[in-house]
Amino acid sequence: MSTTQMLKGILDGCLLAIIKNKEVYGYEIAKKLESYGFASLSEGTIYPLLIRMKKEELVTATSKKSTAGPRRKYYSLTLKGEEALQSFIKRWNGLQNNVNNVLRYESDGEETKGDEHGE
Amino acid sequence: MVNEQLGLSEKSKDFLENLRLYLFSSGKNSGEIKEIVEELEVHLYEAEQNGKSVEKIIGNSPKEYMEMISDEMTIDYKTSIKYICLIIFGSFSFRIFPDLLEGNLSYSVLEIAGHIVIGAIFVASIIIGFKYLSTRKQTLKKIIITLIPIMVLPIALFVGLLFLNHSVETPMIQFGHTGSLIVAAVTGIFLIGVSIWAKTWVMVVVVALLTLPDYFLSMTSLSDKMQLMISPWITFAGIAIYLWISFKLEKKRSES
């Protein structure tokens, strides 16, 4: 499975978290993701997600003049977006826990949880 | 149009133009197209300022990336239908005015239905051609090889329709004198309306060049054969001159 495929859905949550913290525009989001370690990601991947999140009213966008260069489109979180972020955090924590458990117990080769115990 | 002042690389500019073409031929909302193209333009600009390659932004397959964006955008059926009607009715007007000079209008059911079907086929082939071109590396050869069949196809189909109309009998619709005048007036208003809306007089010019040479030649003392020979040349030369002048004007405008 490619990283991009694994990331689907997870990236949504990351974007919500970045946008919640501060009003940001596309290039800024990409830079932040890179600084957190998502260096192999194509930067443009965020735009289809932003379009969908805007359509689902999780974020709003306003175009603002920048000091240098063309106008930028800044994103901020709506109330609905904050709820989506909270729900993502909850689901992610649960999922992360489960995956970690599986990897921890299954990879050391010893007796694992849920094994059938014979007579 | 791509903002020239930003000084984007050719590769980035090509990508943005292709994206616009791809989304347009996918029938997406023009406001949304403008928004996403501008947003990506800003991103590519900043990325290039920081020495990043286009691939870092859009990945290795522009086609896949365009599809990803397209999937999230809404289809604008209203505008698509508007364009399709424009092309189909526009092609009717090319036929109606020259026919009016010959007298009252009368068409067979087959002619009218065939005209609409050919118009629809033409629109479909344009959409397929544009989509094909926008997702591939364009060379002049590829563009010509794609566009020539799209241009020739409707001409071939119209010639086919002409023959079919001779051999198959379908009911005739006669418009009569008043009917013909009404059709002419409606078509005239349609043409002028479209020209104002699209901010180009190309359709009016083409209809005039198709119609007027025959009309004026018929008032001269030239033989019928001579008239038939001269008329198409005036039409083609007129269209060529018109296109050349508008190209020059457009170039002047973009330079200033």
Side-chain angles (χ1 to χ4, degrees), chain B residues 68-85:
Chain B
M68 254 166 79
I69 290 181
S70 178
D71 285 345
E72 299 298 343
M73 288 170 73
T74 35
I75 292 182
D76 188 351
Y77 289 105
K78 235 171 90 187
T79 310
S80 309
I81 291 171
K82 209 156 71 186
Y83 278 114
I84 291 168
C85 289

Side-chain angles (χ1 to χ4, degrees), chain A residues 25-27 30-31 34 39-45 47-48 51-52 54-55 69-73 75, chain B residues 3 6 35-36 39-40 42-43 45-47 50 52 55-59 65 68-69 71-74:
Chain A
Y25 69 101
Y27 189 72
K31 244 176 24 190
E34 196 180 354
S40 65
L41 197 72
S42 309
E43 292 181 3
T45 315
Y47 290 102
I51 293 175
R52 192 175 66 233
K54 201 175 146 213
K55 225 187 307 173
R71 295 178 78 87
R72 294 164 174 166
K73 202 160 139 195
Y75 292 90
Chain B
N3 190 341
L6 292 182
E35 250 181 72
I36 186 64
E39 201 173 11
L40 276 169
V42 174
H43 193 117
Y45 166 74
E46 294 204 33
N50 289 298
K52 289 178 189 164
E55 285 80 13
K56 175 75 190 135
I57 320 301
I58 61 173
Y65 186 56
M68 254 166 79
I69 290 181
D71 285 345
E72 299 298 343
M73 288 170 73
T74 35

Side-chain angles (χ1 to χ4, degrees), chain B residues 119-148:
Chain B
I121 292 172
F122 182 57
V123 172
S125 63
I126 288 179
I127 291 172
I128 295 167
F130 277 8
K131 266 200 163 168
Y132 171 80
L133 280 178
S134 63
T135 52
R136 275 161 187 81
K137 201 171 156 38
Q138 292 164 14
T139 56
L140 188 63
K141 202 172 126 196
K142 229 180 234 169
I143 294 174
I144 291 171
I145 289 175
T146 312
L147 291 184
I148 284 180

